[in-house]
Amino acid sequence: MQELKKVEQTMLALNGDEAVAWAVKQSNVDVVAAYPITPQTIIVERISEFYHNGEIDIEFIKVESEHSALSASWGASIAGARAFTATAANGLALMWEILYIVASTRAPVVMAVVNRALSAPINIHNDHSDSMGARDAGWIQIYSEDAQEAYDNTIMAFRIAEEAMFPVMVTLDGFTISHTLQNVLVLPDEVVSEFVGERKVPRIKLPMIYGEKEIPLMLNPKYPVSFGPLDLYDYYFEHKVQQNEAMKASVPIIEKVHREFAEISGRSYEPVHFIPYRTEDADVILVGLSSTMSVVKKVVDELREEGKKVGAIRLRVFRPFPAEMLRKELSKFSAVGVLDRSLSFGGEGGPVFTEVRSAMYSAQSRPPIVDFVYGLGGRELPPKLIKKAFEDVLAMKEEPETPVIKYLGVRE
Amino acid sequence: MIEIVWHGRGGQGVWSGSAVLAYAAIKAGKYAQSFPQFGPERIGGPVTAYNRVDDKPIVERGPIYEPDIVIVIDPSLVKPRYRERITRGLKEGGTLLVNTTLEPGEVRREFNVPDSVKVWTVDATTIALEEIGRASPNTTMLGALIKATGLLDVQYLEQGILWRWPGEVGQKNINALKRALREVRGG
């Protein structure tokens, strides 16, 4: 990677969906199988245009459902292809069965999830219920803050997926990112091509009867292999524990890929798993995901002007969850608020909150933590409500007796 | 940073207009955003779109609550009952640009706009019908916008229009934009 260094990039006007499609175009993808669903549709439309204009050399598989989209992507991936698909909301829900199959056969499929609320009632707007529901399925999850990051994350996802042997979900907020046209710096085709390289396939040793030989682990009529055969109580448990260990072992790979990407693009997402903002001397902070955190940063600036010691932490990698790193980081604050854009019905707080608070239980110093559930079904979170959240968290410094879960911007 | 809110109805090209503006600003070396506020997507339904334009990278995201410029692309919205929706948050010293056959003074009275706000009007529907052959007033409004505010050089808007509508359709839209430069009234 040394010789790649920072290169001349082109400033384009793209929305988040188009930025993802551009990344796919440049990433030596072999197979795209996808089914349109708002607000992801533009991704599939642009890839379809690239395909029909001869700008991308892929097998473009038109399928009749998302279940088939992911099934086809899986088949392609275990046959040694680099496969991409994209979906949102109910489409992701329909992929449910195959999510686990892709992950548990360690197939490095990359999928863009354009976050949208789940039915019923039908709602096309942004929240994180869809990808949060899939958090236990064994996919690496990276949440993007804007269209530029959606582009960057998609390119990095192919490397991470293939080196860690895990599927990667890159998420972007419906409409707020997917349909927002903005400045996006695009790397030259050959630089991305060299960065992602050819599809990496793990190699295995053949049994003795075939001779001392190594072959790529993929579907191949010459050396037949099975993916996901019967595995009962004798070994299933061990395999699941190994899968969990392997997910944790992807952490250094995720970091390495980000650092190499920063070298060619000049865009660093250090320290990768989450990004602190004005936390050095902060008393209290808000932790959250995705595009909302842009607005939170603006509010932090405003409150700092008023002399309030506030900061923010934007989580990027939600799976594997950076518990250890976050524990160290959060211990130094007097109080912490978590922003959750999804609910866990009947649970004690949203998914980000339960994860963060669980991580903090074993910390030496445990700040009080409150969950702010917001933005379900695309409900706006204007700066004045973020200010109110900060005020609530600041008040917790003195008086931690507070409800664990609060709703921001809901009618009472 | 300049923040713009567009008001219109589905089918009038509100989102395309804001996209062309953002594209043009980015081509001019600036930073920009364009995004729609979608309700149920249907022809005739109310549509809002937003633009942000700045010389430095834009951190803000999501809806604009205090615009510098409000563009009303649908003449049927020039009624006192839409006053709150149209003028909400419009900054002191801001600009209100309206597609209407009315004079700026009449719009000012209709919406009870304070003196500090500059009001501009243009009959964009007629211009669009004559130049493009259909009632798509978005590009005409862009011409009026740059005359009223000097936000961007016209060449970048022309590039933006040809990006969105290559060929003859784009050229007709450019003609409409140039007519608006001459015919917009106000200040």
Side-chain angles (χ1 to χ4, degrees):
Chain A
M1 267 324 123
Q2 270 319 91
E3 73 277 14
L4 279 175
K5 284 297 162 207
K6 206 179 150 186
V7 291
E8 193 70 28
Q9 301 179 55
T10 312
M11 182 70 86
L12 296 182
L14 301 175
N15 65 39
D17 278 0
E18 290 171 330
V20 169
W22 260 85
V24 171
K25 182 170 91 161
Q26 297 179 308
S27 295
N28 301 340
V29 173
D30 300 304
V31 174
V32 175
Y35 190 81
I37 178 170
T38 301
Q40 160 268 42
T41 307
I42 303 169
I43 298 178
V44 186
E45 283 174 351
R46 290 296 174 274
I47 292 173
S48 172
E49 283 168 20
F50 293 147
Y51 174 70
H52 287 281
N53 293 340
E55 295 172 68
I56 181 171
D57 181 21
I58 54 167
E59 290 290 328
F60 188 62
I61 307 175
K62 284 165 277 183
V63 287
E64 82 296 347
S65 76
E66 287 86 354
H67 190 279
S68 300
L70 191 55
S71 296
S73 303
W74 177 58
S77 184
I78 59 173
R82 181 171 287 157
F84 173 84
T85 187
T87 193
N90 298 22
L92 182 61
L94 188 54
M95 290 177 171
W96 196 252
E97 178 189 9
I98 314 302
L99 285 176
Y100 281 78
I101 292 173
V102 171
S104 301
T105 53
R106 310 286 299 276
V109 173
V110 171
M111 170 155 67
V113 173
V114 184
N115 286 125
R116 160 183 159 178
L118 287 164
S119 299
I122 291 181
N123 180 306
I124 59 169
H125 291 282
N126 173 231
D127 69 32
H128 297 151
S129 318
D130 50 3
S131 57
M132 278 301 162
R135 70 189 187 274
D136 296 337
W139 288 59
I140 290 170
Q141 287 193 336
I142 309 177
Y143 287 76
S144 317
E145 186 179 1
D146 65 0
Q148 179 71 65
E149 195 182 337
Y151 169 82
D152 294 345
N153 286 347
T154 305
I155 293 170
M156 289 189 280
F158 290 106
R159 281 278 305 276
I160 294 168
E162 288 165 26
E163 290 181 32
M165 296 196 329
F166 272 98
V168 178
M169 218 176 265
V170 172
T171 82
L172 51 156
D173 286 336
F175 295 100
T176 321
I177 302 178
S178 68
H179 285 58
T180 298
L181 189 87
Q182 67 162 75
N183 301 59
V184 176
L185 273 172
V186 171
L187 290 156
D189 290 352
E190 63 278 9
V191 171
V192 178
S193 174
E194 190 174 338
F195 180 78
V196 295
E198 289 295 310
R199 161 76 204 269
K200 289 162 208 65
V201 181
R203 300 181 72 82
I204 49 163
K205 269 208 183 100
L206 280 178
M208 282 299 283
I209 52 162
Y210 295 108
E212 285 287 321
K213 201 168 182 188
E214 258 196 7
I215 58 151
L217 177 58
M218 58 189 235
L219 296 180
N220 179 352
K222 215 168 143 198
Y223 301 106
V225 291
S226 295
F227 283 84
L230 193 69
D231 186 14
L232 300 176
Y233 45 69
D234 48 357
Y235 277 109
Y236 183 91
F237 197 174
E238 283 74 18
H239 289 147
K240 290 294 138 182
V241 172
Q242 285 176 358
Q243 196 177 340
N244 193 39
E245 292 305 311
M247 169 80 85
K248 287 180 188 163
S250 70
V251 168
I253 295 168
I254 295 170
E255 291 170 354
K256 181 191 75 162
V257 171
H258 275 79
R259 271 149 213 168
E260 288 181 11
F261 185 80
E263 274 181 39
I264 58 164
S265 67
R267 288 186 292 279
S268 161
Y269 294 97
E270 287 295 314
V272 176
H273 308 276
F274 52 82
I275 302 183
Y277 183 74
R278 300 188 78 166
T279 54
E280 319 76 41
D281 61 337
D283 252 354
V284 309
I285 58 148
L286 283 178
V287 181
L289 297 164
S290 306
S291 64
T292 301
M293 297 313 286
S294 296
V295 190
V296 171
K297 283 188 273 187
K298 279 309 281 189
V299 173
V300 165
D301 289 346
E302 286 170 30
L303 291 176
R304 286 269 173 177
E305 292 279 304
E306 297 170 19
K308 290 180 177 147
K309 287 189 172 173
V310 297
I313 288 182
R314 178 170 69 90
L315 271 172
R316 295 181 67 250
V317 183
F318 191 73
R319 282 290 181 271
F321 189 76
E324 185 70 46
M325 287 170 265
L326 216 47
R327 185 152 50 237
K328 266 187 214 137
E329 185 76 17
L330 295 187
S331 292
K332 59 188 189 209
F333 306 114
S334 325
V336 172
V338 174
L339 290 167
D340 257 305
R341 203 163 193 169
S342 60
L343 266 179
S344 173
F345 301 115
E348 194 168 62
V352 185
F353 174 75
T354 47
E355 206 79 53
V356 168
R357 201 166 65 151
S358 168
M360 293 312 291
Y361 188 78
S362 54
Q364 291 294 329
S365 156
R366 285 189 305 231
I369 309 178
V370 61
D371 192 15
F372 296 102
V373 175
Y374 76 100
L376 300 189
R379 175 66 51 86
E380 288 171 20
L381 186 66
K384 62 171 192 252
L385 279 180
I386 298 171
K387 267 187 191 158
K388 191 188 169 302
F390 269 120
E391 276 158 20
D392 285 5
V393 182
L394 280 163
M396 282 165 57
K397 271 173 62 186
E398 320 299 331
E399 184 53 73
E401 298 300 317
T402 168
V404 170
I405 306 160
K406 295 182 172 188
Y407 299 97
L408 274 182
V410 75
R411 292 184 191 90
E412 285 179 3
Chain B
M1 182 168 60
I2 301 291
E3 295 185 300
I4 304 172
V5 177
W6 297 63
H7 293 285
R9 295 184 189 277
Q12 293 171 332
V14 169
W15 188 23
S16 312
S18 84
V20 167
L21 180 61
Y23 179 94
I26 291 170
K27 284 289 152 191
K30 291 174 183 285
Y31 290 86
Q33 286 178 359
S34 149
F35 53 103
Q37 175 101 325
F38 274 122
E41 295 172 50
R42 55 172 192 246
I43 301 278
V47 176
T48 306
Y50 303 96
N51 278 121
R52 290 190 172 96
V53 180
D54 204 350
D55 292 324
K56 55 183 200 305
I58 298 168
V59 182
E60 286 80 355
R61 208 153 278 287
I64 290 162
Y65 300 101
E66 292 178 4
D68 300 277
I69 301 167
V70 171
I71 301 174
V72 180
I73 194 170
D74 178 15
S76 77
L77 292 175
V78 188
K79 293 194 179 80
R81 71 169 184 274
Y82 295 117
R83 178 183 185 278
E84 161 63 14
R85 180 177 155 201
I86 301 298
T87 61
R88 191 189 309 150
L90 179 56
K91 277 187 192 149
E92 203 173 309
T95 298
L96 176 64
L97 169 62
V98 184
N99 171 18
T100 176
T101 53
L102 299 176
E103 290 298 319
E106 294 173 289
V107 169
R108 186 182 290 282
R109 277 193 297 281
E110 201 76 2
F111 282 144
N112 191 18
V113 179
D115 290 344
S116 72
V117 170
K118 296 178 272 297
V119 180
W120 294 75
T121 63
V122 62
D123 182 7
T125 304
T126 299
I127 294 175
L129 278 170
E130 288 175 6
E131 299 297 330
I132 309 164
R134 52 175 294 189
S136 298
N138 52 359
T139 46
T140 313
M141 295 307 281
L142 287 172
L145 173 72
I146 56 171
K147 175 71 180 182
T149 65
L151 187 61
L152 289 172
D153 196 287
V154 67
Q155 59 163 314
Y156 300 112
L157 270 306
E158 290 182 25
Q159 285 180 34
I161 288 171
L162 291 171
W163 159 73
R164 194 77 188 199
W165 302 281
E168 197 193 346
V169 178
Q171 199 48 54
K172 287 177 175 174
N173 276 276
I174 289 171
N175 295 343
L177 174 136
K178 286 186 171 163
R179 246 185 85 182
L181 289 174
R182 298 191 298 272
E183 295 185 21
V184 66
R185 308 174 295 275

